[in-house]
Amino acid sequence: MSFLLIVLFGTFSIVFPTFGFGPLIVEIGYPVFCSAQSLSIKNEIEQLTSCKNWLSYWIIDAIFICAKFVLESSLPVSIPLVLEIPFLFWLQVPYFSGSMKAFNYLWPYIELFVFCIFGSYHKSIASSALLASSSSLRRLSRLFVSDKNGEMVEIEKLQDQPNGKPSLPTKSKKNQ
């Protein structure tokens, strides 16, 4: 059934390319659906296999999008949908396992490229991300305070007191 949907959307996008959403459905919409569906599989081995296939699809698709962008922006040519849609079918359909084949073929180059570029910056990127997340948590904690029952309340709601002054909750004797 899902393969039939891919064929229908692919045919629609080839016949009516001016609508523009056909390739998006084939390239992004259907894989998002299948990726989300693979996360809900109960059998761990099947889930791992399915997630691995769809993760490899997303990596190859990202490389394809970047290569397509560079090619179309540097040369006055574009990849026709007649070639793009079958390539996406080959990547997506589990029978062909094209995404895994392409990923296994390209992995040495991906590894070399990614680790050459991001390898030396990985620690600084990770520490910056940690710093940003802790800073964000601190800022969010300033927006909320605990009321007398220990529940989180927005500070703006506390400032809507009848006297116009914010009244922050006081510690009860049992909390001290």
Side-chain angles (χ1 to χ4, degrees), residues 8-59:
L8 288 175
F9 285 127
T11 304
F12 182 78
S13 66
I14 291 171
V15 175
F16 302 107
T18 57
F19 289 114
F21 67 87
L24 284 177
I25 290 173
V26 172
E27 189 171 7
I28 296 172
Y30 179 72
V32 165
F33 170 74
C34 289
S35 298
Q37 199 174 28
S38 70
L39 291 174
S40 65
I41 296 173
K42 300 295 181 201
N43 186 343
E44 289 183 21
I45 295 172
E46 289 178 16
Q47 183 185 32
L48 181 65
T49 304
S50 181
C51 288
K52 188 175 179 183
N53 287 334
W54 285 109
L55 181 61
S56 64
Y57 168 79
W58 287 112
I59 292 170

Side-chain angles (χ1 to χ4, degrees):
M1 179 64 182
S2 61
F3 181 72
L4 180 63
L5 287 174
I6 294 174
V7 171
L8 288 175
F9 285 127
T11 304
F12 182 78
S13 66
I14 291 171
V15 175
F16 302 107
T18 57
F19 289 114
F21 67 87
L24 284 177
I25 290 173
V26 172
E27 189 171 7
I28 296 172
Y30 179 72
V32 165
F33 170 74
C34 289
S35 298
Q37 199 174 28
S38 70
L39 291 174
S40 65
I41 296 173
K42 300 295 181 201
N43 186 343
E44 289 183 21
I45 295 172
E46 289 178 16
Q47 183 185 32
L48 181 65
T49 304
S50 181
C51 288
K52 188 175 179 183
N53 287 334
W54 285 109
L55 181 61
S56 64
Y57 168 79
W58 287 112
I59 292 170
I60 298 300
D61 189 47
I63 293 169
F64 177 69
I65 289 171
C66 292
K68 184 176 147 185
F69 175 75
V70 168
L71 179 70
E72 289 178 351
S73 62
S74 61
L75 299 173
V77 298
S78 65
I79 299 172
L81 289 175
V82 175
L83 297 176
E84 185 176 344
I85 299 299
F87 175 69
L88 293 172
F89 287 161
W90 179 73
L91 288 177
Q92 293 175 4
V93 178
Y95 175 77
F96 300 117
S97 65
S99 61
M100 286 302 297
K101 290 176 184 173
F103 178 78
N104 290 335
Y105 177 77
L106 293 174
W107 175 245
Y109 306 107
I110 295 169
E111 188 177 28
L112 179 68
F113 178 73
V114 169
F115 289 115
C116 282
I117 291 178
F118 296 111
S120 59
Y121 299 110
H122 176 70
K123 288 182 181 178
S124 64
I125 291 171
S127 64
S128 298
L130 183 63
L131 180 65
S133 66
S134 64
S135 173
S136 299
L137 286 175
R138 262 195 319 272
R139 289 181 183 176
L140 282 174
S141 67
R142 288 186 214 145
L143 297 175
F144 296 94
V145 293
S146 297
D147 65 359
K148 293 177 183 175
N149 298 327
E151 296 180 15
M152 298 304 284
V153 179
E154 291 181 49
I155 290 179
E156 291 177 1
K157 289 183 181 177
L158 290 175
Q159 291 175 347
D160 294 336
Q161 299 296 325
N163 60 4
K165 295 180 181 177
S167 60
L168 296 176
T170 58
K171 291 185 178 180
S172 63
K173 291 183 179 180
K174 62 181 178 182
N175 289 343
Q176 292 179 349

